[in-house]
Amino acid sequence: MTKISAIDVDEMRVPEHVAIIMDGNGRWARQRGLPRSAGHRAGAKSVRSVVEESVRRGVRVLTVFAFSSENWRRPPTEVNVLMELFMSTLQAEIKSLIEHQVQLRIIGDMSAFSPKLQARFDEAQRVTRHHQRLILQVAANYGGRWDITRAAYSLAEEVAAGSLRLDQIDEAALAARLSFPDVRDPDLFIRTGGEKRISNFLLWQSAYTELYFSDLMWPEFDAAAYDAALNDFARRQRRFGLTGEQVVAKASA
Ligand code: FPP
């Protein structure tokens, strides 16, 4: 039997969890003389191809930043377009999510969304909850600081109620109170649109995540561009504080 070397193993490595900041919809539209809403609509198509490619490549969790806590500050007409797009995309894609065995999760503070949109999110999560092929987490009205603050609040509440001791507070205790603690931290974090920032996305969860920045605008980010990011990840060596030699020894053990 041919022995597989650590290098070959790395070449085949697929990130289990990919997180994406889908940036550049507005600029993509402006460059074409179109309204920003056209950029968001085109961006929804990129979400579809990245979801399909994730299923094909065996990614287990995909988390996309669809609407940040700060996006409420955009002009009301653009916020409305995005809300309508969430509604219509969910309606249009739910069949395909079921067909592909994709579990949908919404992460973020839902209370700010209209009751109608909240009901649509709830229903989509309910009907897909048993699917295991891919977990698609859509971050909406989400912020990394909001997530950490909420977890800290839960810890404080439990200590005040007497159900948690102060000396039980450690990293694992806080991490367990973040949104969806059952999925591992992202292995790969992609941001499109040319900016090199994390912008309050998965702050706690990205401590050791590999970062990948693409100059493509999100509507241009197709399956081939995503493949390039996955292949770039496969070539990287993740050390988690170990030496390079220790990592190679661990991989070939
Ligand atoms: C950032 O581009 C993009 C957004 C704030 C919205 C992303 C939403 C979608 C792609 C819609 C569908 C998604 C789902 C999952 C239903 P930008 O507007 O900040 O672009 P700019 O930096 O060029 O202005």
Side-chain angles (χ1 to χ4, degrees):
M1 202 172 86
T2 331
K3 192 170 181 310
I4 300 172
S5 75
I7 305 280
D8 294 334
V9 171
D10 269 3
E11 290 298 325
M12 296 186 294
R13 212 158 39 108
V14 174
E16 209 172 300
H17 182 179
V18 180
I20 308 184
I21 295 188
M22 314 181 283
D23 196 14
N25 292 347
R27 277 166 289 159
W28 178 89
R30 262 206 318 273
Q31 286 159 5
R32 286 159 182 78
L34 298 169
R36 291 176 60 84
S37 54
H40 295 312
R41 284 197 186 90
K45 292 198 184 116
S46 292
V47 177
R48 179 180 240 273
S49 41
V50 165
V51 168
E52 284 172 356
E53 193 60 9
S54 294
V55 169
R56 205 184 68 73
R57 292 283 301 255
V59 171
R60 304 311 301 262
V61 184
L62 176 66
T63 305
V64 294
F65 209 1
F67 195 84
S68 73
S69 329
E70 292 75 32
N71 285 151
W72 293 110
R73 294 194 213 121
R74 293 191 173 196
T77 45
E78 182 167 344
V79 171
N80 287 339
V81 162
L82 282 166
M83 295 301 137
E84 276 163 28
L85 192 59
F86 296 150
M87 292 282 267
S88 59
T89 308
L90 272 184
Q91 180 140 338
E93 299 297 337
I94 192 74
K95 252 177 129 175
S96 163
L97 294 179
I98 293 170
E99 252 165 51
H100 287 93
Q101 292 285 298
V102 176
Q103 182 186 136
L104 182 77
R105 295 173 170 190
I106 311 293
I107 61 171
D109 181 2
M110 290 299 98
S111 64
F113 294 116
S114 72
K116 206 170 156 197
L117 185 53
Q118 287 186 46
R120 181 83 39 97
F121 280 148
D122 285 347
E123 177 63 6
Q125 291 184 96
R126 195 186 61 76
V127 299
T128 61
R129 71 188 182 284
H130 298 305
H131 297 159
Q132 291 300 333
R133 193 121 176 244
L134 172 75
I135 296 175
L136 170 62
Q137 304 196 119
V138 176
N141 196 22
Y142 177 86
R145 289 180 176 179
W146 166 84
D147 208 0
I148 297 168
T149 307
R150 212 177 47 129
Y153 186 96
S154 294
L155 291 171
E157 203 171 37
E158 290 168 49
V159 170
S163 54
L164 187 75
R165 292 191 320 271
L166 259 185
D167 64 6
Q168 288 176 307
I169 297 182
D170 56 13
E171 289 186 12
L174 193 142
R177 286 155 182 84
L178 294 169
S179 304
F180 293 108
D182 59 325
V183 302
R184 64 189 261 134
D185 288 344
D187 302 289
L188 174 63
F189 184 125
I190 300 172
R191 181 178 187 142
T192 61
E195 311 284 0
K196 295 182 175 60
R197 284 192 293 274
I198 292 182
S199 296
N200 198 19
F201 197 21
L202 301 162
L203 293 182
W204 176 282
Q205 298 89 334
S206 299
Y208 287 101
T209 301
E210 293 292 328
L211 305 179
Y212 180 91
F213 298 101
S214 166
D215 286 333
L216 294 174
M217 300 295 130
W218 177 248
E220 300 165 328
F221 197 80
D222 56 10
Y226 185 48
D227 266 335
L230 297 181
N231 295 341
D232 182 88
F233 171 85
R235 285 190 293 272
R236 296 190 196 182
Q237 187 192 51
R238 300 180 74 198
R239 293 206 293 272
F240 298 100
L242 303 177
T243 66
E245 292 73 23
Q246 285 176 304
V247 173
V248 171
K250 244 179 118 183
S252 45

